[in-house]
Amino acid sequence: MSLQMKLVAITLDCPDPLALAAFYQRATGLEPHPKSDADFAGLNGEHGLLIGFQRVDDYRAPSWPDQIVPQQLHICFKVDEDLDVTEARLLELGAGKPDHQPHGDKARVLTDPAGHPFCIVPR
């Protein structure tokens, strides 16, 4: 018998919750949680899923792919537009693009402004 658990939140550590929430809000169009503040900010996702961003003192960004500072999380997003177009928009918003791209033309690995790696893949 399996447990009946529903995923309701994913939270990323970061140095500036409001700034990281703003990046993901511009990238996804998700609505900010009304109780967001400088210590914890959130975005209301589909089906009640909250993406949260919590302040961590002395935060150290992941150093993907070398794992000197391991990644804590990896998020993948399906996108409707061409990967090149989506990547360019995300880079304008403040994303980074690591030199190491393990997926070829199937996906792109980018990093958010706090250093968390995430992928974009075509629908």
Side-chain angles (χ1 to χ4, degrees):
M1 178 177 175
S2 65
L3 293 173
Q4 297 299 312
M5 299 191 320
K6 179 182 177 185
L7 181 63
V8 295
I10 296 172
T11 301
L12 294 103
D13 293 348
C14 62
D16 186 342
L18 292 171
L20 195 55
F23 168 80
Y24 279 105
Q25 196 240 339
R26 289 190 307 269
T28 64
L30 296 175
E31 291 296 318
H33 189 279
K35 293 185 179 180
S36 294
D37 62 30
D39 290 321
F40 186 91
L43 297 175
N44 295 317
E46 295 179 25
H47 309 292
L49 180 65
L50 176 86
I51 301 174
F53 311 94
Q54 68 184 0
R55 178 180 303 282
V56 172
D57 294 331
D58 302 321
Y59 173 79
R60 292 178 55 206
S63 56
W64 188 89
D66 66 33
Q67 300 297 305
I68 292 170
V69 179
Q71 69 187 32
Q72 296 90 21
L73 181 69
H74 186 104
I75 303 172
C76 289
F77 295 94
K78 287 185 177 180
V79 299
D80 292 327
E81 293 183 310
D82 177 80
L83 288 182
D84 291 334
V85 172
T86 302
E87 176 187 308
R89 287 183 171 180
L90 290 165
L91 293 173
E92 287 175 9
L93 293 177
K97 183 178 179 185
D99 291 334
H100 180 62
Q101 292 293 316
H103 306 296
D105 291 334
K106 296 177 188 170
R108 304 281 167 78
V109 179
L110 302 173
T111 55
D112 68 24
H116 300 286
F118 66 93
C119 283
I120 54 173
V121 298
R123 275 199 200 265

